[in-house]
């Protein structure tokens, strides 16, 4: 194994780590988006229930 082989190996490992970090970041973005949608839906539902209570009670 010479220096070139070692450098190529390191480059491959770095590329794999970058891909993994990118996938984790995307998963985190999706998780944040899903959480925001969930909270928004709950807020809309809460407002709808509050409005229905004012109308029917």
């Amino acid at each position: 194994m010479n220096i070139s082989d070692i450098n190529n190996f390191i480059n491959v490992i770095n590329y794999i780590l970058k891909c993994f970090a990118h996938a984790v970041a995307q998963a985190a973005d999706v998780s944040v988006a899903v959480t925001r949608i969930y909270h928004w839906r709950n807020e809309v539902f809460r407002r709808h229930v509050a409005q229905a209570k004012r109308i029917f009670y």
Side-chain angles (χ1 to χ4, degrees), residues 2 17 19-20 48:
N2 60 26
L17 290 175
C19 291
F20 179 73
H48 178 72

Side-chain angles (χ1 to χ4, degrees), residues 20-36:
F20 179 73
H22 182 68
V24 169
Q26 282 186 325
D29 290 344
V30 169
S31 178
V32 168
V34 168
T35 301
R36 286 182 181 158

